[in-house]
Amino acid sequence: MHAMRGGVFIFLLLGVLAPTAAFASKTQYVSVGPVVRVHSATVPALAPPASNDPNWKMANWPTLKFQGAIWLRTVVHIPANFTGQSDPIGLFLTAEASSAVWWDGKLLGHNGRPASTPELEQPGRLRAVFKLDTEQLKPGPHLLVMELSRQHGGNNISTPIDTLYLGPWQNPLSGALEYYLPGLISGGAVASACLFLLVTGWRGRDTAALWLSAACFALLLQLSAEALRAFVNYPYPWQGVRLHAVSASAWLFGFCLVGFLIVRVRIPHATRWQLVLGGFALLALGLPGDLATALVLLVFLGGGLFLAVRAAHRRQAGVVWLLAVLVLLLALLLLRTWAFLEQWLYVGFAVALMLFFADHLRVYFRTVRERDAARHTAARLELDLLKQHLKPHFLLNTLTALSEWVEESPRTAIRMVQTLGDEFRTLIDISAQPFITLDKELALCRMHLDVMSYRHDQPFTLRLDRDDGNPLIPPTVLHTLVENAVTHRGPTAANMPFLFTARHSGGGKWRLRLDCPAGADIPEDWQEGTGLAYVRARLVEAFGNDWRLTQGVSNSGGWFTEIEMPGEVDAACA
């Protein structure tokens, strides 16, 4: 309990720190204007094409698309106060291309080796810095010429040039940490939540927590792939692979998030909705780069919001905070798309986890109270049932039947005493156990029906129709239903057996059904008695709210009771 509260405090603290961790850079730099001239002359060449060459075309480098080799030319204006900085100055280029750079006609250096064919090109790194000396940084206009080639780049990159500017030569990790710090801090909170949800979901058979844990893991994969370019200067052809990894991780995150939402608010036709959204999102994976990631998240978040609105319309509990989270994430995605993909998705999801843990605590404490109350109720009802089972008229009727069998058939009387003893011994053995196997419970039911057969001089039998498997159930649940049927339903038609059916119902659950033979009419003022109250208390104690009990008149005119419950239980409880 204290560990859970401490964990929630950590998530709250990280959630508050993450949005405030971003700070604006005070570093002075000179941006290269977006308008440039582009030439498609063969690369490499002995020298850049002449300035008066008519093949130079106007373009914007932030939106420039090319595959192959090009030349790029522009004029960079150095302000008067820029040369007073203490750090060395460099030209920073981030591009999915090999490059060679000239400054005022002088070659500054190469990043890889541009070429007109894949065989000749030597792929460069994603990021390159070309140092400029004081003489080259005099205030005024300077001519910048670059030769670029993309002979190995993937087709999922729409704009190869990401950044182009002049700035102080400094530790490259400082800028990366500055930019990604909100996402990284939030990622720490998400990692802690992932482990916490995995452990608690596995131990508590909480499918919603497991889905959310998987969503956290997928988001960590996406964050790792997203931040990789800031901390590892890999060859530019790997940029396409990294973008595919980001999009695939985003798809997995959205798929698991919708899975959590479906389980959390109990949406009908859950698998169908999840598969439909997953299929639409898969179509977006073929688009270039970040656009694919943005559309994948838009499909899942928009679909999740639609499902949450439907759940809210049905007045499902615990939907308000889910609606708030989905609206927040969608608003950030639509208003700040690129910043959302690189930073605010992780910050927003950390805030969502804070809200989840607050709601989870509320549900957890309520469940603890309900289970404590159920244990007390079950103990009291178990004592009441024992008293009822041993009350004088039961013993009197049983002993009367036994005395008759002693006179008529001593061997039958001996078998009746042995069967009654076996039933009582089994009841004593299992009374303190939280779970027993279905086979053991059915054996107990047969013992009771054998005793009742001797007592009523009428055969009571139990016929089985079950799937493979032997799930664990709370003890004496089926036994109580059989006892109720024999005690309150009156004589049954001759040779009409009790029918017990056990079926897998999907989602790892079992559906257990007991059909009792037709007997006395059901009174109009019939009410549930101590036996059924005991059954409900046992189910609450064992499974919390993860069970369902229905009953009524069957098609054959008999009475049926059906229980749907989880097929697996916590090993610590079992």
Side-chain angles (χ1 to χ4, degrees):
M1 188 75 65
H2 294 294
M4 179 178 290
R5 291 176 178 174
V8 173
F9 174 76
I10 292 174
F11 296 133
L12 290 172
L13 179 61
L14 289 174
V16 171
L17 289 178
T20 60
F23 49 88
S25 173
K26 297 181 180 179
T27 302
Q28 185 181 8
Y29 64 93
V30 173
S31 297
V32 175
V35 180
V36 296
R37 292 182 180 273
V38 177
H39 197 293
S40 58
T42 302
V43 177
L46 296 177
S51 299
N52 59 357
D53 190 321
N55 291 318
W56 284 104
K57 305 295 182 183
M58 301 292 294
N60 283 19
W61 68 259
T63 60
L64 182 63
K65 302 179 181 180
F66 69 93
Q67 185 79 34
I70 64 167
W71 289 87
L72 184 148
R73 175 170 65 90
T74 188
V75 175
V76 180
H77 293 271
I78 304 295
N81 61 347
F82 187 69
T83 56
Q85 300 189 69
S86 58
D87 295 326
I89 302 299
L91 175 68
F92 289 77
L93 171 64
T94 302
E96 291 80 30
S98 301
S99 58
V101 178
W102 282 262
W103 184 267
D104 290 334
K106 179 181 177 181
L107 179 64
L108 291 182
H110 294 86
N111 176 31
R113 185 71 61 179
S116 56
T117 64
E119 294 76 16
L120 295 177
E121 182 193 77
Q122 177 184 342
R125 299 284 173 173
L126 182 66
R127 298 189 307 276
V129 184
F130 304 91
K131 186 178 180 181
L132 298 168
D133 57 32
T134 305
E135 185 66 23
Q136 293 170 318
L137 291 170
K138 291 182 178 180
H142 297 268
L143 179 64
L144 170 64
V145 179
M146 297 190 297
E147 52 179 351
L148 305 169
S149 69
R150 291 185 67 241
Q151 304 295 348
H152 299 88
N155 57 8
N156 65 324
I157 297 173
S158 57
T159 54
I161 304 177
D162 293 335
T163 58
L164 182 59
Y165 66 93
L166 274 70
W169 191 298
Q170 56 187 350
N171 185 355
L173 291 181
S174 61
L177 286 173
E178 177 180 327
Y179 185 76
Y180 283 100
L181 188 58
L184 294 175
I185 293 178
S186 302
V190 172
S192 301
C194 178
L195 182 60
F196 177 84
L197 290 166
L198 177 62
V199 173
T200 56
W202 185 268
R203 289 180 58 85
R205 309 182 306 276
D206 187 347
T207 308
L210 291 176
W211 273 115
L212 193 57
S213 176
C216 290
F217 178 74
L219 193 67
L220 291 174
L221 292 179
Q222 184 179 345
L223 176 60
S224 301
E226 185 65 56
L228 180 66
R229 69 171 184 174
F231 300 99
V232 179
N233 194 17
Y234 47 81
Y236 85 81
W238 285 95
Q239 177 72 345
V241 178
R242 185 191 69 85
L243 291 175
H244 279 308
V246 171
S247 300
S249 300
W251 186 94
L252 182 60
F253 164 72
F255 188 79
C256 295
L257 185 64
V258 171
F260 159 74
L261 177 65
I262 287 172
V263 175
R264 178 66 178 78
V265 297
R266 297 182 177 87
I267 297 175
H269 310 295
T271 304
R272 183 188 308 172
W273 280 111
Q274 197 172 10
L275 292 177
V276 167
L277 291 175
F280 276 112
L282 278 176
L283 298 177
L285 291 180
L287 297 173
D290 290 336
L291 179 60
T293 304
L295 287 179
V296 165
L297 292 174
L298 182 63
V299 168
F300 280 119
L301 293 177
L305 181 61
F306 170 74
L307 296 176
V309 169
R310 287 189 61 191
H313 181 69
R314 296 196 307 270
R315 298 184 179 180
Q316 293 264 15
V319 180
V320 175
W321 74 270
L322 290 172
L323 282 171
V325 166
L326 292 170
V327 169
L328 170 66
L329 294 179
L330 269 174
L332 289 173
L333 173 60
L334 296 174
L335 297 177
R336 300 289 304 278
T337 303
W338 310 127
F340 175 78
L341 297 179
E342 296 174 347
Q343 292 182 344
W344 299 110
L345 168 61
Y346 316 104
V347 176
F349 193 68
V351 174
L353 288 174
M354 290 164 35
L355 296 175
F356 167 78
F357 276 100
D359 183 71
H360 185 71
L361 275 180
R362 177 185 62 81
V363 175
Y364 174 80
F365 289 129
R366 185 188 66 191
T367 303
V368 168
R369 289 194 301 269
E370 290 178 351
R371 288 198 175 184
D372 287 343
R375 288 190 181 97
H376 291 301
T377 303
R380 177 179 58 80
L381 290 172
E382 190 169 12
L383 180 59
D384 290 343
L385 281 174
L386 184 59
K387 291 177 180 178
Q388 183 176 352
H389 199 71
L390 297 177
K391 63 186 179 180
H393 79 79
F394 170 81
L395 287 177
L396 180 60
N397 292 337
T398 303
L399 292 174
T400 300
L402 179 60
S403 64
E404 294 175 357
W405 284 117
V406 168
E407 294 179 358
E408 297 179 8
S409 177
R411 290 186 179 182
T412 303
I414 292 174
R415 290 197 297 269
M416 180 178 180
V417 171
Q418 290 173 342
T419 304
L420 184 61
D422 290 341
E423 181 183 3
F424 283 156
R425 276 192 297 271
T426 303
L427 283 170
I428 293 172
D429 290 340
I430 69 175
S431 60
Q433 299 179 29
F435 292 96
I436 63 172
T437 63
L438 178 60
D439 287 343
K440 197 167 187 178
E441 178 76 6
L442 291 175
L444 180 62
C445 293
R446 283 198 172 98
M447 292 177 194
H448 187 72
L449 290 177
D450 286 344
V451 172
M452 294 298 103
S453 297
Y454 291 120
R455 174 177 161 180
H456 293 282
D457 193 16
Q458 175 185 348
F460 290 94
T461 58
L462 180 64
R463 184 162 61 89
L464 302 182
D465 181 11
R466 54 185 293 190
D467 292 340
D468 293 336
N470 192 21
L472 296 177
I473 65 173
T476 70
V477 166
L478 300 179
H479 176 269
T480 302
L481 296 177
V482 170
E483 184 183 11
N484 269 358
V486 175
T487 303
H488 300 295
R489 292 289 290 138
T492 62
N495 300 322
M496 289 291 290
F498 289 79
L499 173 61
F500 175 76
T501 308
R503 292 280 183 263
H504 296 288
S505 63
K509 293 190 175 183
W510 280 80
R511 183 176 291 114
L512 311 180
R513 173 171 170 142
L514 181 68
D515 282 272
C516 304
D521 295 334
I522 303 297
E524 294 183 359
D525 58 349
W526 176 87
Q527 295 181 350
E528 291 186 2
T530 304
L532 203 58
Y534 168 77
V535 171
R536 293 185 184 277
R538 275 293 199 180
L539 292 173
V540 170
E541 180 185 9
F543 306 118
N545 294 322
D546 193 15
W547 60 273
R548 182 174 59 87
L549 186 148
T550 56
Q551 57 182 346
V553 179
S554 62
N555 294 333
S556 61
W559 187 259
F560 79 89
T561 304
E562 184 175 274
I563 298 172
E564 187 177 52
M565 65 178 197
E568 296 182 359
V569 299
D570 191 346
C573 296

